[in-house]
Structures are given as C-alpha cells and as structure tokens.
Amino acid sequence: MKALKIKEVLEINTISKFCAVQGWVRTFRANRFVALNDGSTLDNLQCVIDFKSIDESLLKEINTGAALRLEGTLVESQGGGQKIELQVEKIVLLGVSDPEKYPIQPKKHSLEFLREKAHLRVRTSTFSAVMRVRSALSFAVHEFFQQEGFFHVHTPIVTGSDAEGAGEMFRVSTLDPKNPPLTKTGDIDYKSDFFGKETNLTVSGQLEAEAYAMGLGEVYTFGPTFRAENSNTTRHLAEFWMIEPEMAFYDLNDNMNLAEKFITTVLKKVVSRCKKDLTFLDERYTKEENSKPLIERSPMGLLEKINFVVGNEFKRVSYSEAYEILRNSKPNKKKKFQFPINEWGVDLQSEHERFLVEKHFNCPVILFDYPADIKAFYMRRNDDNKTVRAMDILFPGIGEIVGGSQREERLEVLEKRIKEMEIDKEELWWYLDLRRFGSVPHSGFGLGFERLVQFTTGMNNIRDVIPFPRTPQNAAF
Ligand code: ATP
Ligand code: MN
C-alpha cells in the first residue's frame, strides 16, 4: 500500500479509512501516543498504539527521531487538539534513533544551538516552516516572471571578468597552491591555470543578463552568487541566491514599478499558500519580539507587516530629498549617528536607511538618483551630471532588499566612466559591444532571495533562512 502524506491524511479527514503513513517521531507519550511528522505540513499526525499483540522490544525502539511506517484506520480523535487520529494496526520500524544522543529533543532549542546541527534542524517546526515558505517563494518568483513573459536565463557561475564590481570574489583555480607556476616577474602564471586566465565565482549575473535582454527583451536570472566580504552581519552570506531581472526598453520608472509589483505579487501568493506555516511563524515572531526591550520591538506582527507592505505603495524618495531629511533629523543633530550626515554625496549607512524606513516614513522606501561617485560604473548618468539613475529598495527590519538601476546605454558616456574609475576596458569589450550594436535604454535590479525569505518568515538572522549557510570561518556540512 502506498503511504499517504500526512498533509493529505489531515486534508481528506475521512473517518474509518485504512491507510499508511511514514515519518519521524516527534514525541512518544505514555507508551501509546506517537506524534508523527513527515515534513509535508507543520502538523503532526497523532497515532495511537493500542493493540494487544505488540512486541515490547519494538515499543522500546519508538523514540524521538526514529523513522516509522504506520498502518491503521483513521478514527475520530478522543483527545483534544486534533480532529482525527490513526488507530495503529501495524508498525514497521524504518530507522532507529538513540534518544540519549539525538540532539533535537522535544523542547525549545536556541537558534544558535540549531545552527550547529544544520543537518537535523529541518526536523523542527520552525525550520521546516521556514523551508516550506522558502520553497513557495522560489516557485512564486518563477511564476511571476513567467506570467509576465520574461525568459529565465542561466548566467555563468565561474566568471572571467573582475569588473562586476559588486564585492570581493572567491578565486577558482586548479593550480597547486603549494607550488604555483610563476611568470618571469614572480607573479602567479594564470595562463597555465584551467581556463588560461584568472577566474572567480560570480558576484552578480547582471552583465551577462544585459546581453540576453538585448536579444530576448525581458529576462531574469535566479542563481547562486558569491561574495568574499568579511562582514559578519545578520544580513550577509558568502553564498546567497539572487534574482536579477533585466529589461530592454525600461527606464528607471518602469524598473521601480516592476520591482514593486514583483515583491507585492510574490508576497500575496505566499500569504495565501502558506497560511499554516506563516501563522506559526507569526506567533514565533511575536514571542521573540516580546522578549525584547519595548523600544526595540516591532510595532506590527509578522502577517500584519507583510499585509502592510502588500497593501501600501512604496514611498519613492530621491537621494537628495533623503539627504535633507537625514541632515535635519534629530539623531543627526544630536550626533547619534555613527556616520554623521553633513555633506551631499556621502554613502548612506544602514543606520540611515533604518531611520528613513523605520522612523521617518514607516513603510518600504525606494531611494533613487544617487550620487554617481558612490554607485557602479554602468548606471545611467542624469543630465545634472552628478547623479545616476540608481534605485535601492529598503525594507523595515531588513535594510536593502533590492539594488538596481537604469543602465548607461550611451557608448561614449560609458567609456568615459570606465576610464575615470580605472576599470580594465579590455575585459569589458563584449559589454561595450552591446552599446555598439543596437543599444537601447534598459534597466534591471537584483533582489537578494534570502533577504526576502527573512522578511517573509520574520527570522532575524540570514543564517536561519538558507539550509546550510556559508559565512566567514564557516563552511561546515
Ligand atoms: P548591502 O549594502 O546590503 O551589502 P549591496 O549594495 O552590496 O548590499 P547589491 O550589490 O546591490 O547589494 O546586490 C543586490 C541585492 O543582493 C541586495 O539588495 C541584497 O538584497 C542582496 N545581497 C547583497 N549582498 C548580499 C550578501 N552578502 N548576502 C545576502 N544577500 C546579499
Ligand atoms: Mn554589499
């Protein structure tokens, strides 16, 4: 007999049906009640072992963490808490578990403790809920772009260009680190490396996506991205997943409209599809917030926060306006910012972004038209010759969730900028070709997938929304 998923069993909810289920024991009480979970849903199935002929030695093996196949009849539940339960008639022990050694005990564990047990933490309610929501978000991302007529392109993971400019890179090499071949001048001779040149893991698929937008029109990438930045924050990973749409014929306004529609559509879909998990995570979030000092608490619950973002327009503010707001703000005047705001052109730090989003506007904010000198070479220059058509989307509790821009489509302007920023023009020959042959206005953005999962699940640390996080000094598992 093919086993049913527990989710199906609880949904069909049919008394006196005979069925089989398979899963892991969450708890075993009074030598009778097994709470079985198979990951298909947050809920456990209560299974009652109540028959005479049961083998005592088998009963001893029913421990937290063990894997079982149970066959029996669905009956109306005698106890509270669930409508139906399984009256067990047959037990197959699939995998034993030593209750003394199994780290995931039926009690509350700290997230830090569970990070050390990343291979087992998905067997907890919190992590299984987070990972189901993550999966639903990923599906909704593809669904959104496919419905909008975008094409999914796979850009390379190994890149030969170091002009992407978004962060420090990880080198990819097959040279012997103990004995690398050297050039006459004593430098490492990458000509004899695997690709015949220095190569790295990509920090962004944007430049390649631009090439494809210039032929397919509207495209997106959704792949792994690597940054060797030594920042131990709750928002940075060394390996993360990024969604990067790139669109021909879009100006910055079209770009902002798309980003806003994208985020709200994906959130709406997941709110309607992951009700049970999000309700559970909402309660978890509220408990955690309530353990914080009053002034640090979020004024809204998790679902409330998501619905607020979905139901309200993002506030669009130029850098210059934001600069004035920050310059005249209380924390700036009282010298409370670590980085004071006193000169137009300064880069905004996360303390400033948080002030704008969480204190001043109290909603998601799109900042646009940044000073050229703090942004990448490929962003389109405005007529004021000081600012570029960049936009960042800032979210409460997360900070930057999207970074994007209209791209510079004019060959001469782009070449001038590359020279000013002392970037190797030879490397970018193919990127410049895109401006030589049929160049058009175009735009795109990058959204860090884990930051979206963080916002949706209310998990404070980015290490808790990806199965096996990669951070400085940590690549276990
Ligand atoms: P931040 O200032 O937060 O480091 P960034 O300006 O370096 O971000 P971009 O280069 O614009 O970010 O990348 C696009 C998006 O990718 C960001 O908006 C963010 O959502 C995400 N992102 C960037 N770096 C990381 C990282 N190390 N880990 C996880 N997500 C990241
Ligand atoms: Mn960064």
Side-chain angles (χ1 to χ4, degrees):
M1 181 175 31
K2 191 171 179 296
L4 293 178
K5 290 199 177 186
I6 289 177
K7 183 172 193 275
E8 295 171 298
V9 171
L10 294 173
E11 271 163 13
I12 51 175
N13 195 12
T14 311
I15 301 304
S16 74
K17 182 178 169 71
F18 186 82
C19 66
V21 289
Q22 305 178 136
W24 294 269
V25 177
R26 283 284 173 89
T27 59
F28 185 39
R29 287 185 297 116
N31 254 350
R32 273 184 77 194
F33 301 106
V34 179
L36 199 73
N37 189 285
D38 67 357
S40 61
T41 174
L42 185 74
D43 291 326
N44 302 324
L45 179 66
Q46 165 143 296
C47 306
V48 187
I49 299 174
D50 214 3
F51 52 96
K52 298 279 152 0
S53 58
I54 184 151
D55 175 353
E56 282 297 317
S57 64
L58 180 61
L59 218 49
K60 283 209 181 67
E61 296 294 354
I62 304 179
N63 297 309
T64 302
L68 299 179
R69 175 186 168 93
L70 300 175
E71 293 175 16
T73 310
L74 293 174
V75 298
E76 215 164 302
S77 179
Q78 304 302 305
Q82 63 274 321
K83 281 204 201 99
I84 54 166
E85 60 191 26
L86 189 76
Q87 193 75 48
V88 178
E89 287 153 50
K90 185 178 169 196
I91 304 171
V92 184
L93 180 67
L94 298 173
V96 297
S97 169
D98 182 341
E100 303 293 315
K101 295 196 179 129
Y102 184 56
I104 314 291
Q105 294 297 319
K107 62 162 194 179
K108 190 174 157 49
H109 292 291
S110 75
L111 297 172
E112 291 78 12
F113 171 84
L114 290 171
R115 247 169 254 152
E116 310 274 300
K117 315 278 180 244
H119 59 310
L120 297 172
R121 67 179 178 172
V122 73
R123 300 195 203 175
T124 65
S125 299
T126 298
F127 282 93
S128 64
V130 168
M131 293 308 157
R132 279 187 298 268
V133 172
R134 183 182 165 111
S135 167
L137 277 168
S138 169
F139 180 66
V141 166
H142 285 292
E143 193 179 35
F144 173 82
F145 285 118
Q146 297 287 335
Q147 278 173 356
E148 294 283 318
F150 282 57
F151 298 104
H152 183 203
V153 300
H154 294 103
T155 48
I157 308 289
V158 174
T159 171
S161 100
D162 60 5
E164 288 168 356
E168 289 299 304
M169 295 178 132
F170 290 100
R171 181 173 304 134
V172 174
S173 173
T174 54
L175 295 179
D176 179 0
K178 284 200 220 93
N179 189 20
L182 300 177
T183 61
K184 282 194 188 105
T185 53
D187 297 319
I188 292 178
D189 181 13
Y190 286 107
K191 283 219 171 61
S192 50
D193 202 348
F194 188 89
F195 295 106
K197 63 183 296 197
E198 204 174 335
T199 48
N200 295 289
L201 293 177
T202 184
V203 294
S204 158
Q206 180 201 318
L207 303 190
E208 289 90 351
E210 279 187 53
Y212 265 65
M214 293 298 118
L216 292 175
E218 291 171 325
V219 301
Y220 71 105
T221 72
F222 185 177
T225 314
F226 307 85
R227 296 192 185 175
E229 48 196 358
N230 211 342
S231 46
N232 255 308
T233 76
T234 54
R235 300 172 299 113
H236 288 91
L237 291 165
E239 177 181 295
F240 64 100
W241 290 70
M242 185 141 70
I243 298 148
E244 295 180 279
E246 195 65 42
M247 301 76 64
F249 317 113
Y250 273 50
D251 66 13
L252 189 70
N253 255 325
D254 303 324
N255 200 19
M256 292 195 272
N257 293 343
L258 179 80
E260 187 168 342
K261 183 176 177 195
F262 166 57
I263 295 176
T264 52
T265 306
V266 164
L267 287 176
K268 264 189 238 164
K269 291 224 158 107
V270 171
V271 166
S272 80
R273 289 171 187 169
C274 301
K275 281 211 175 73
K276 196 179 274 294
D277 287 322
L278 288 177
T279 305
F280 171 81
L281 290 167
D282 192 356
E283 283 162 19
R284 194 203 147 269
Y285 179 78
T286 303
K287 267 187 225 142
E288 194 151 294
E289 287 298 307
N290 286 345
S291 69
K292 291 183 184 167
L294 252 178
I295 48 160
E296 285 174 30
R297 276 182 214 170
S298 157
M300 289 188 221
L302 179 62
L303 281 164
E304 211 181 342
K305 218 168 49 140
I306 299 173
N307 286 326
F308 179 81
V309 165
V310 168
N312 287 280
E313 276 182 15
F314 297 6
K315 181 83 190 164
R316 299 183 187 190
V317 189
S318 72
Y319 169 92
S320 297
E321 288 171 79
Y323 167 75
E324 285 304 326
I325 293 167
L326 289 165
R327 194 171 60 90
N328 295 314
S329 69
K330 244 195 222 155
N332 196 49
K333 289 190 162 155
K334 290 189 171 170
K335 306 221 174 336
K336 289 274 164 61
F337 284 142
Q338 198 188 335
F339 299 89
I341 298 284
N342 46 26
E343 201 184 343
W344 188 94
V346 291
D347 203 356
L348 303 184
Q349 306 295 326
S350 103
E351 56 179 348
H352 310 127
E353 298 178 344
R354 290 194 67 162
F355 175 83
L356 290 170
V357 174
E358 288 161 31
K359 296 275 179 323
H360 190 84
F361 290 111
N362 248 307
C363 68
V365 172
I366 312 186
L367 286 184
F368 63 93
D369 283 354
Y370 279 82
D373 288 341
I374 57 172
K375 288 291 181 187
F377 75 92
Y378 50 71
M379 298 189 178
R380 194 182 194 284
R381 194 51 83 116
N382 277 310
D383 292 341
D384 64 10
N385 211 20
K386 268 171 37 187
T387 57
V388 287
R389 304 243 76 191
M391 62 119 173
D392 279 5
I393 302 185
L394 313 176
F395 258 41
I398 304 287
E400 182 186 326
I401 191 161
V402 163
S405 66
Q406 183 174 331
R407 320 304 189 190
E408 184 57 75
E409 84 282 13
R410 299 163 296 184
L411 181 64
E412 327 74 64
V413 184
L414 188 59
E415 280 182 325
K416 186 161 165 266
R417 193 65 189 146
I418 287 173
K419 202 165 171 195
E420 278 168 9
M421 294 179 86
E422 295 176 2
I423 297 166
D424 185 0
K425 191 177 150 189
E426 299 306 307
E427 292 247 351
L428 286 168
W429 66 272
W430 61 271
Y431 187 71
L432 291 168
D433 259 3
L434 303 175
R435 276 74 181 166
R436 288 191 184 100
F437 309 113
S439 187
V440 297
H442 63 289
S443 300
F445 62 84
L447 176 140
F449 184 56
E450 282 73 22
R451 294 204 186 159
L452 182 65
V453 184
Q454 265 188 291
F455 177 76
T456 316
T457 59
M459 299 302 280
N460 177 53
N461 196 315
I462 198 165
R463 292 165 178 80
D464 296 329
V465 298
I466 188 164
F468 298 102
R470 300 285 179 252
T471 49
Q473 297 298 310
N474 176 30
F477 305 101

